[in-house]
Amino acid sequence: MSATEGHPEAVRFDGASKKYGERLALEPLTLRVAPGEIFALVGPNGAGKTTAIGLLTGLLAPTTGRVMVFGLDVSSDPLAVKRRLGLVPDRPWIWPKWTPREALRFTGAVFGMAGPALEERIETELEAFSLGDAADRRAETLSHGTRQKAALAQAFLHDPDLFVLDEPMVGLDPAAQRSLAGRLRERTAEGAAVLFTTHHLSLAEEIADRTGVLGEGRLLAAGDPRDLAGPRGMRGRLSEVFFGLTERS
Ligand code: ATP
């Protein structure tokens, strides 16, 4: 089933919060992302971005509230949710002895893909991420950016309805960044949704339909990154209002 035939909400945080011990890392978060939308989550170090992604992907359980993906509760329906997700975590990991092609075969098998169709699709992803020469080299011999491309190729392989990408541009060269942005736009035009984190405010302005600004575990603003409402009547581009939102007076 494609995202467009699915639920009207790709992502729904319903008052989802997270405590690590006594530390409240994420205050109750309410947020929606629609199919076809690219949503960027930005915020200073420690703001709670990776924690929110952990809740969205089921890697963390919410302390309060719930998180839904296409109408499925991430806590009670984790496998059905994972089938629809393409995830690149903050520290993507490929078994060091595997090549990107082998890692893609493994991912394909996990998602029930097999045979010539899988091999063909792997070739498409290797090409899309310019992994050509690196495709058959062990991950331990590859540069950081090349391993990041392999992780992204894995996320795209099964045509997920929701991409969840923690700092996806880190380590990518400018050509790879441009190509990733283009591919995400293609997939959202087909109805997929994207939630990604970034420290690059200009990137959020360029490719996100909406942006959420987190500060100290709180959603401080959400909206069009080219026209975001800030504190004290401030309004403008994300890069103009970000510091007003996140710097403590
Ligand atoms: P960054 O931009 O540095 O990646 P972030 O916005 O992704 O930061 P999180 O990693 O979600 O932030 O962290 C939010 C808060 O939760 C921080 O104060 C962090 O120290 C704390 N935290 C994160 N993981 C744990 C953990 N496993 N145990 C205790 N505290 C944690």
Side-chain angles (χ1 to χ4, degrees):
M1 182 174 63
S2 80
T4 40
E5 295 158 23
H7 200 269
E9 286 167 344
V11 172
R12 178 180 173 137
F13 284 87
D14 258 345
S17 72
K18 180 66 190 174
K19 264 187 175 180
Y20 297 107
E22 283 309 300
R23 183 191 193 93
L24 183 60
L26 190 67
E27 294 189 18
L29 173 65
T30 296
L31 183 70
R32 313 265 187 273
V33 181
E37 213 174 21
I38 300 183
F39 190 96
L41 206 49
V42 301
N45 293 132
K49 303 178 298 295
T50 297
T51 299
I53 281 190
L55 298 180
L56 177 57
T57 54
L59 297 174
L60 296 171
T63 306
T64 63
R66 61 179 189 165
V67 184
M68 315 284 285
V69 169
F70 293 105
L72 301 164
D73 189 319
V74 174
S75 298
S76 58
D77 227 341
L79 275 180
V81 167
K82 285 187 179 73
R83 269 185 220 115
R84 304 192 73 171
L85 281 188
L87 168 67
V88 176
D90 56 340
R91 274 171 253 165
W93 189 84
I94 296 182
W95 175 242
K97 304 293 176 199
W98 276 356
T99 66
R101 191 186 302 279
E102 288 165 341
L104 284 161
R105 283 191 184 125
F106 175 77
T107 303
V110 167
F111 285 98
M113 303 164 76
L118 172 59
E119 292 302 317
E120 216 171 281
R121 184 58 201 258
I122 287 174
E123 212 50 57
T124 304
E125 292 306 327
L126 291 170
E127 242 172 69
F129 286 100
S130 306
L131 278 160
D133 294 347
D136 298 302
R137 285 172 50 195
R138 288 180 178 179
E140 64 191 355
T141 71
L142 300 175
S143 72
H144 171 64
T146 305
R147 285 200 302 271
Q148 180 73 2
K149 289 180 189 173
L152 284 158
Q154 283 179 282
F156 273 79
L157 188 71
H158 67 108
D159 278 335
D161 294 323
L162 173 63
F163 290 87
V164 180
L165 311 172
D166 205 346
E167 291 274 355
M169 300 291 184
V170 166
L172 296 188
D173 61 42
Q177 290 186 27
R178 191 175 57 181
S179 146
L180 173 61
R183 292 203 73 205
L184 290 174
R185 281 208 198 89
E186 276 169 30
R187 292 292 291 115
T188 50
E190 293 162 358
V194 179
L195 185 146
F196 77 100
T197 68
T198 185
H199 287 299
H200 297 283
L201 304 178
S202 55
L203 176 75
E205 284 172 5
E206 194 189 323
I207 73 168
D209 300 303
R210 282 194 307 134
T211 300
V213 181
L214 276 181
E216 298 182 345
R218 237 167 9 107
L219 186 66
L220 303 171
D224 181 346
R226 292 152 295 263
D227 182 26
L228 195 66
R232 297 174 292 280
M234 201 178 179
R235 202 170 184 109
R237 299 176 75 83
L238 172 65
S239 46
E240 290 159 357
V241 300
F242 179 89
F243 298 102
L245 283 166
T246 58
E247 276 175 355
R248 289 212 263 172
S249 48

